[in-house]
Amino acid sequence: MDIDLTPQLPKKLYGGDGGSYYSWSPAELPMLRHGNIGAAKLALEKNGFALPRYSDSAKVAYVLQGNGVAGIVLPEKEEKVIAIRKGDAIALPFGVVTWWFNKEATDLVVLFLGDTSKAHKSGEFTDLFLTGANGIFNGFCTEFVCRAWDLDEASVKSLVKNQTGTGIVKLKEGAKMAEPKKEHRDGMALNCEEAPLDVDVKNGGRVVVLNTKNLPLVGEVGLGADLVRLDGSAMCSPGFSCDSALQVTYIVKGSGRAEVVGVDGKKVLETRVKAGNLFIVPRFFVVSKIGDPEGMEWFSIISTPNPVFTHLAGSIGVWKALSPEVMEAAFNVDADLVKRFSSKRASDAIFFPPSN
C-alpha cells in the first residue's frame, strides 16, 4: 500500500465572528478517501452558534475543549438539548439534525470523525443547512415553501432570508437559547474522562472504550471509539485491529513518536505526532506509540461499533498464548531465549512504563 500516512492538521473551510469550521482534506491525507473516513473540527467563540444542519455521514463527536449546549434531533424524535463539556463523546447517526452553541468565554471545540461510505464525496463530510444564506429553503421557490409551511409569502421570506449568516453566526450578548435538560443526556453522551476505565496501568496509561454497552447509539453509527491517555515516556503495545477495522487517531494533547508496519514487514510510517495531528492506520497494520516526557492523549474511532484488538507484546499479547515449541521454530532460537522472552512483560498489559 503506497499511500502517504503522514499526520496532518486541518484547514479552515469557513467561519466568522462566531467561530470557524475546519476539515481534513483527502487530497492531503489520502487514507481518508481510501478508508471512507471524514474528519472535521468545529470551534465556537463566545456566543457562537452553529446553525441547524444535517450531514451525509454518520459521525462520532468528541468535545476537545470548553463547555456548551448541543441540540440533537433524531429522525422522527423530539429535540434533545444537552449540556456538553470537555471529554464528552456523542454518537450522531444518519439523518440527525444538530445545532451547537457556546455562551462561555472559552472556545468550544468539537471534533467530528465518521464514515463517508455513503457520502457525496468519499473522505469528506457534506453538511446541509436548514437556515442561513446557504440554507436548503433558499433553493425552493416561495410558493413551495408557503404551501409546505402553510404561511403567507411575507412570513416565508422573513424566515428564509433574514438569517444572512453562513454555517456559524454570533448571537448578541444575552440572547435566549434553549436550555439543556439533564435527563436528555441519558443515552446521548458519555464523558470519556469520567467513565469507568477499561484499562489502567500504573505509570503506563489508561483507556476508555466507547461501544454499544456504554453508548448504544454507536451501534447505529457503526463506529467504536476510545480515549487513550499515555503517561510520560510510556509505550503503547504494538497491536492491530483483528476485525478489519481502520483506526483514525486524533492527538488531543501532548506529543510522542508513532510507527506503523504493514505487509512484508515494511515500515509505512515513522513520525513524531503532536496535538492537533490526525493519522490513520490501515486495516491489519500494526501500530505502536511512545509518549514524550509530558505524556500523550488521543481519541480514536474504529470502523466497527465493538472493536477487538490483538496485541503483540505484554501479558495479553499473542505470544503468551503460543506454545514454546512453536515460538522456538518460528523465531529459530533455542528454548532458553524463548523462556526469557516469555517471562518479560508478564504483568504488563497494553501499556509499558518507562524503564528505570
Side-chain angles (χ1 to χ4, degrees), residues 239-247 261-263 281-286:
F240 65 93
S241 171
C242 55
D243 47 10
S244 75
L246 289 164
Q247 299 176 62
V261 176
V263 179
V281 180
R283 292 178 175 88
F284 300 112
F285 282 30
V286 177

Side-chain angles (χ1 to χ4, degrees), residues 253-269:
K253 67 179 181 181
S255 59
R257 292 177 288 152
E259 294 190 359
V260 179
V261 176
V263 179
D264 294 328
K266 180 181 177 182
K267 184 183 294 183
V268 294
L269 181 67

Side-chain angles (χ1 to χ4, degrees), residues 28-353:
E28 297 181 354
L29 192 56
M31 271 302 298
L32 290 172
R33 183 181 293 110
H34 185 82
N36 278 315
I37 296 294
K41 190 160 61 172
L42 173 68
L44 293 180
E45 299 174 11
K46 185 177 181 181
N47 294 320
F49 177 49
L51 297 173
R53 83 281 308 274
Y54 63 97
S55 176
D56 63 354
S57 304
K59 308 171 185 175
V60 172
Y62 182 72
V63 182
L64 297 169
Q65 175 184 302
N67 300 280
V69 180
I72 303 170
V73 183
L74 295 168
E76 301 183 352
K77 302 287 186 180
E78 294 183 354
E79 179 187 47
K80 301 282 189 180
V81 181
I82 65 173
I84 57 174
R85 62 187 185 276
K86 180 177 178 292
D88 275 353
I90 307 161
L92 302 173
F94 277 112
V96 66
V97 172
T98 64
W99 55 262
W100 311 80
F101 177 65
N102 178 29
K103 64 179 180 180
E104 306 291 341
T106 301
D107 284 2
L108 172 67
V109 183
V110 184
L111 174 72
F112 300 96
L113 301 174
D115 174 20
T116 65
S117 60
K118 298 179 181 178
H120 287 278
K121 299 177 183 178
S122 180
E124 298 181 50
F125 298 138
T126 298
D127 288 339
L128 294 96
F129 295 89
L130 302 190
T131 67
N134 59 345
I136 58 174
F137 288 99
N138 284 286
F140 285 101
C141 70
T142 303
E143 179 191 357
F144 273 62
V145 184
C146 286
R147 293 187 64 176
W149 291 350
D150 193 23
L151 289 172
D152 60 82
E153 184 174 330
S155 297
V156 163
K157 286 184 176 180
S158 293
L159 287 168
V160 174
K161 301 298 183 182
N162 278 14
Q163 179 54 269
T164 58
T166 300
I168 299 171
V169 299
K170 186 169 186 175
L171 303 185
K172 294 180 180 180
E173 186 69 35
K176 290 185 177 181
M177 181 53 63
E179 292 294 328
K181 297 182 179 180
K182 186 176 180 181
E183 63 270 22
H184 282 184
R185 272 186 64 93
D186 295 341
M188 298 299 299
L190 176 76
N191 191 276
C192 295
E193 295 186 351
E194 300 172 0
L197 297 172
D198 293 281
V199 178
D200 186 5
V201 177
K202 184 178 180 181
N203 299 321
R206 289 152 298 286
V207 180
V208 170
V209 177
L210 187 71
N211 54 35
T212 56
K213 293 181 180 179
N214 52 20
L215 191 61
L217 263 182
V218 300
E220 294 186 35
V221 175
L223 301 168
D226 58 27
L227 176 68
V228 180
R229 286 166 281 183
L230 191 64
D231 290 334
S233 302
M235 179 183 189
C236 183
S237 166
F240 65 93
S241 171
C242 55
D243 47 10
S244 75
L246 289 164
Q247 299 176 62
V248 185
T249 297
Y250 176 85
I251 307 299
V252 176
K253 67 179 181 181
S255 59
R257 292 177 288 152
E259 294 190 359
V260 179
V261 176
V263 179
D264 294 328
K266 180 181 177 182
K267 184 183 294 183
V268 294
L269 181 67
E270 180 179 13
T271 189
R272 292 196 58 80
V273 291
K274 62 182 181 180
N277 280 159
L278 183 88
F279 72 100
I280 301 173
V281 180
R283 292 178 175 88
F284 300 112
F285 282 30
V286 177
V287 60
S288 184
K289 308 177 191 75
I290 295 178
D292 283 341
E294 74 271 22
M296 186 163 57
E297 180 177 319
W298 62 86
F299 182 80
S300 298
I301 64 163
I302 304 95
S303 55
T304 178
N306 294 295
V308 180
F309 290 92
T310 292
H311 294 275
L312 301 179
S315 60
I316 61 173
V318 67
W319 304 116
K320 297 298 181 182
L322 289 173
S323 60
E325 296 82 4
V326 170
M327 288 196 287
E328 288 175 37
F331 283 123
N332 191 25
V333 297
D334 59 32
D336 181 63
L337 181 52
V338 167
K339 184 177 181 180
R340 285 189 289 123
F341 173 63
S342 298
S343 67
K344 297 295 184 179
R345 304 292 186 198
S347 60
D348 295 328
I350 298 173
F351 302 114
F352 310 143

